[in-house]
Amino acid sequence: MSTRSAVVIHDILKSVREALWHHDVTFEEYRAAVGFLRKYAQSAEFEIPLTCDMLFNATISDIEMKHRKGSVSNLEGPYFLEAAPTITDRISTRDEEGDELIIEGQVRDLSGNPIEGAELYIWHSDSQGLYSGFSGDFPIDLYRGKKIIGPTGEYSVRTTMPAPYMIPHDGPSGELLGFMGRHPWRPAHVHFKVRAQGFLEFTTQAYFAGGDWVDSDCVEGVRAPLVHDPEIRGNAKVLKMDFVLDPA
Ligand SMILES: [Fe+2]
């Protein structure tokens, strides 16, 4: 085992043991906790990554930002697909659903130069909080797309407003949320990933001010700079998203 692993694991165990001491945890409680952990074994492949993402993914994103000077990153979540369709100015949706949302901005470097050729992935839920490619026969060309950025770095894409949704909560991950007195809802959000030659891959989300659950996201992913108050343009909301990428 590497020295780094040893140091990190030692510090985690130290914190756990301190919490056990602090709360006078009993044998009865300890055995109940071990019994609860055994439930994970029954659906480990699904539940362990779900719980880890729920508790720690946003933290790892924050730590990443210690070493970046560009835009604020945020968790990727489980619904990104490489196979998103290439789009020009519109993400395919079921047109009858959801308020219109325009997402526009610029992709640039730390000096303000546009990054031509960057690949901007955008994905979000439908008006029911479902993701294409993950719910029944919901085709993957809806509610997601890959936009190739042109010479000015600027882009504008039309889509529809996403909705809040519950993370899977019928297993131990949901039970854990219940133990903590928390609900399984995420606020409405849009996911982004930007890739460009010579730059660090960048992943983030945008949230909407005043929306349900924005103050109590079950995965604790909301960060103040990522909460937007879109302007209204005609019938549409306009989400301004600039992406400033760090060099690789
Ligand atoms: Fe999501």
Side-chain angles (χ1 to χ4, degrees), residues 75-79 123-125 129 131 163 165 186-191 205:
L75 58 160
E76 177 174 310
Y79 301 125
W123 70 106
H124 62 84
S125 79
Y131 280 85
Y165 59 83
R186 295 218 66 214
H189 56 271
V190 181
H191 294 268
Q205 297 188 31

Side-chain angles (χ1 to χ4, degrees), residues 176-209:
L176 184 62
L177 283 174
F179 290 152
M180 294 189 291
R182 285 166 42 188
H183 61 73
W185 285 94
R186 295 218 66 214
H189 56 271
V190 181
H191 294 268
F192 302 91
K193 182 186 286 293
V194 193
R195 291 174 174 158
Q197 201 82 44
F199 295 88
L200 295 177
E201 181 173 297
F202 176 71
T203 305
T204 196
Q205 297 188 31
Y207 304 90
F208 299 95

